[in-house]
Amino acid sequence: MFLLNPKQYSRFHPDAQSKEMVEKTISFFEQKGLAALKKDDQNSTWHDDFFQFLGEEKILARLLTPAGYGEKDSRWDMWRIAEFNEILGFYGLSYWYAWQCTILGLGPIWMSDNEDAKHKAAAALRDGGLFSFGLSEKTHGADIYSTDMIVRKNEAGPWQATGSKYYIGNANKAAMVSTFGKWDKTGDYVFFVSRPGQSGYEVKKKVATSGVRPAFVAEFALQDYALQDKDILHSGEQAWNAALNTINIGKFELGFASVGIATHAFYEAIDHAANRVLYKRKVTDFPHVKKLFTEAYARLVAMKLYGLRACDYMRVASPEDRRYLLFNPIMKMKVTSQGEKVVGMLHDIIAAKGFEQDTYFEMAIRDIGMLPKLEGTTHVNMALIIKFIRNYFFGHVSYPDVPQKSEAVDDAYLFRQNSGGLGDIRFGDFRKAFEGETSSNVLLFQKQIDLFKKLISEAPPTDAQQKNVDFMLANGELFTLIAYSQLILENTRIYRTGAALKNQIFGFLIRDFSEYALKMVLNHNIEPNQEAFYQQMIMKADADPAGFDQVWTQEIWPLKDAYRMNP
């Protein structure tokens, strides 16, 4: 089974310890049960029991400590980390949020040359400590150019930091907070460690949020907070790079959380609909319900196929191969927004049932929309994605084939990433992913891709259009679908996805591509030759009734009663 099913867990792990960690985590949640999980959510209860479990089992230490700083089985292994994101999303976004903020908080530490801070972080992880990422501010949001956190020299001795941070997860309990600011004299950026409970560190309030209720999202302030040299992680350009590179790692995690949420929601939805009779018919016998379930399933499988393949590209990254810098923001922006769409389609099926307070689904519809908007909006990520359009289509270079990367190795490059030079990143020929494909919708989607490539070659954006952010972001949606399809298609071979399901996946990709092309015509001032290309891109996918029935009968219907969380 490709989708996560905790009652039939079967994912490959290269070592027994990794599998054991996952099975113990699943057991923790299933023993806790849905009723207790929902009670904690409704009461905004801080997850002390879960954090105690993580500490006792050394899970944070083993998963989030790079090789050389922890136990022998400790490593930063994205094969394991990606799955843990999915599992925590599956059981509740507030559990995932504390984990995600810990990953972000560790980024600047592991990227630094500060060995003292690294060893303190490793010790804190062994004790089950959480971490925090002090970047955004109330006035400036994630505009890190404009930070008001100032570090100045105290004539009497240590450095002192003064300023505040806003919307910072775990800032109440973190063992270490990686905090971003500026030196007062030079205006250069600086990353330093601050700690809750120390003099000069004040948690101002818990920010009230509609989702992740048990999580502690804080506003905290530093007032003449004393710093020693050993607290400084980065200075100058290194601090800036550490902020961006940490987000490169951190934003990736959001996609798998979305996969986890949508997967659990799917089980609840099919369970409810398949066991409900209306007008003397099972709800799942209604054609429109079958259609919604089938498209939701195709989109969900595509999300996971893309995410796992993007993870492979992260794991092979090097100074010579930085293609992951395109695939990561797509993971953050596209996969999370697809998760919203999947849960929305499922909600259309189960309707008012989704609002009932004793369901997981109620949390899903509340929390799923947070993910595209964390670590920068979808627009911020799209602005990064469109920088790669020309190099993606032209000037291809040869790379070794990227295999599935499931081996037990430390992904050390992520903490010594090269920064800048996005215009120098080259890509292999994406068309290799389509070689030998015969599915009707895959072939039709190739025609849409060819038209888009001709558009940017023969009728590229005018100077005025290039200065129009709205135009460029909208055009970027088309490009995003192309890169999205490449990795999905590559992974259908690795995971041996059936031809019928593949055709359904490319069916929705064609419809989405056509919709974005139509929006370019209707919503933007475009040249006549550009409009001609966009009009040609509007195509009708092959409904493939036989393939549709096969996916429904062989893949979706068997999910009925396949998973139900312990009560």
Side-chain angles (χ1 to χ4, degrees), residues 300-358:
L300 176 55
V301 170
M303 290 163 61
K304 189 166 182 178
L305 285 170
Y306 179 88
L308 290 169
R309 193 61 178 148
C311 190
D312 293 336
Y313 278 89
M314 280 186 78
R315 302 199 77 194
V316 301
S318 68
E320 295 74 38
D321 183 357
R322 299 197 292 153
R323 290 175 288 175
Y324 75 101
L325 290 175
L326 165 62
F327 301 136
N328 277 26
I330 292 176
M331 179 68 170
K332 192 275 171 195
M333 182 275 290
K334 190 66 182 179
V335 172
T336 57
S337 59
Q338 285 290 291
E340 275 193 286
K341 192 170 187 71
V342 168
V343 171
M345 296 175 83
L346 297 173
H347 198 193
D348 284 343
I349 296 169
I350 68 171
K353 179 69 177 179
F355 295 116
E356 293 184 11
Q357 291 294 304
D358 60 351

Side-chain angles (χ1 to χ4, degrees), residues 96 100 250-258 332 336 371 374-375:
W96 169 87
Q100 158 74 356
K251 73 172 58 173
F252 183 83
E253 323 299 340
L254 284 82
F256 276 105
S258 190
K332 192 275 171 195
T336 57
L371 290 164
L374 293 170
E375 315 313 326

Side-chain angles (χ1 to χ4, degrees), residues 179-451:
T179 310
F180 187 79
K182 283 183 178 179
W183 296 109
D184 65 328
K185 298 291 186 184
T186 64
D188 289 339
Y189 298 111
V190 58
F191 247 123
F192 61 90
V193 173
S194 60
R195 294 174 175 82
Q198 298 292 310
S199 177
Y201 186 113
E202 180 186 2
V203 176
K204 304 291 285 187
K205 68 174 183 178
K206 178 180 179 181
V207 179
T209 59
S210 60
V212 293
R213 291 173 185 155
F216 201 101
V217 184
E219 177 183 9
F220 77 89
L222 302 182
Q223 181 63 50
D224 296 332
Y225 182 90
L227 296 170
Q228 305 291 337
D229 287 343
K230 63 184 179 181
D231 297 316
I232 306 300
L233 298 172
H234 302 274
S235 185
E237 185 179 0
Q238 288 184 346
W240 174 265
N241 291 341
L244 298 183
N245 291 339
T246 294
I247 293 170
N248 286 339
I249 299 171
K251 73 172 58 173
F252 183 83
E253 323 299 340
L254 284 82
F256 276 105
S258 190
V259 171
I261 292 173
T263 301
H264 197 154
F266 195 98
Y267 285 124
E268 275 201 347
I270 190 77
D271 227 23
H272 174 71
N275 292 291
R276 186 169 173 79
V277 175
L278 294 176
Y279 311 111
K280 300 181 180 181
R281 296 177 69 182
K282 283 188 176 181
V283 169
T284 45
D285 288 340
F286 288 96
H288 71 287
V289 171
K290 280 187 178 180
K291 187 174 182 180
L292 283 167
F293 267 127
T294 303
E295 183 170 337
Y297 179 76
R299 288 182 184 272
L300 176 55
V301 170
M303 290 163 61
K304 189 166 182 178
L305 285 170
Y306 179 88
L308 290 169
R309 193 61 178 148
C311 190
D312 293 336
Y313 278 89
M314 280 186 78
R315 302 199 77 194
V316 301
S318 68
E320 295 74 38
D321 183 357
R322 299 197 292 153
R323 290 175 288 175
Y324 75 101
L325 290 175
L326 165 62
F327 301 136
N328 277 26
I330 292 176
M331 179 68 170
K332 192 275 171 195
M333 182 275 290
K334 190 66 182 179
V335 172
T336 57
S337 59
Q338 285 290 291
E340 275 193 286
K341 192 170 187 71
V342 168
V343 171
M345 296 175 83
L346 297 173
H347 198 193
D348 284 343
I349 296 169
I350 68 171
K353 179 69 177 179
F355 295 116
E356 293 184 11
Q357 291 294 304
D358 60 351
T359 64
Y360 174 89
F361 207 98
E362 177 269 333
M363 294 194 301
I365 59 177
R366 184 195 68 205
D367 292 345
I368 193 73
M370 295 185 70
L371 290 164
K373 300 166 185 67
L374 293 170
E375 315 313 326
T377 65
T378 54
H379 293 161
V380 170
N381 288 279
M382 181 61 79
L384 175 59
I385 290 165
I386 61 178
K387 295 178 185 292
F388 297 102
I389 291 179
R390 183 151 294 277
N391 286 356
Y392 183 85
F393 287 105
F394 306 103
H396 297 142
V397 298
S398 179
Y399 288 103
D401 289 340
V402 176
Q404 182 189 71
K405 299 292 290 182
S406 59
E407 62 267 36
V409 296
D410 190 62
D411 296 323
Y413 175 74
L414 297 178
F415 298 114
R416 47 181 175 81
Q417 299 174 55
N418 298 63
S419 300
L422 298 183
D424 297 328
I425 296 174
R426 291 292 182 266
F427 294 84
D429 191 341
F430 67 92
R431 292 171 295 187
K432 285 183 63 177
F434 291 82
E435 289 178 356
E437 290 294 334
T438 58
S439 298
S440 57
N441 284 328
V442 176
L443 297 177
L444 195 58
F445 191 73
Q446 280 185 272
K447 294 180 179 179
Q448 290 179 313
I449 295 174
D450 291 342
L451 286 165

Side-chain angles (χ1 to χ4, degrees), residues 32-53:
K32 185 180 182 75
L34 181 60
L37 187 146
K38 292 297 310 244
K39 182 179 179 181
D40 284 354
D41 177 73
Q42 290 156 7
N43 293 336
S44 299
T45 302
W46 178 252
H47 297 310
D48 272 326
D49 58 342
F50 180 60
F51 302 138
Q52 182 179 345
F53 160 77

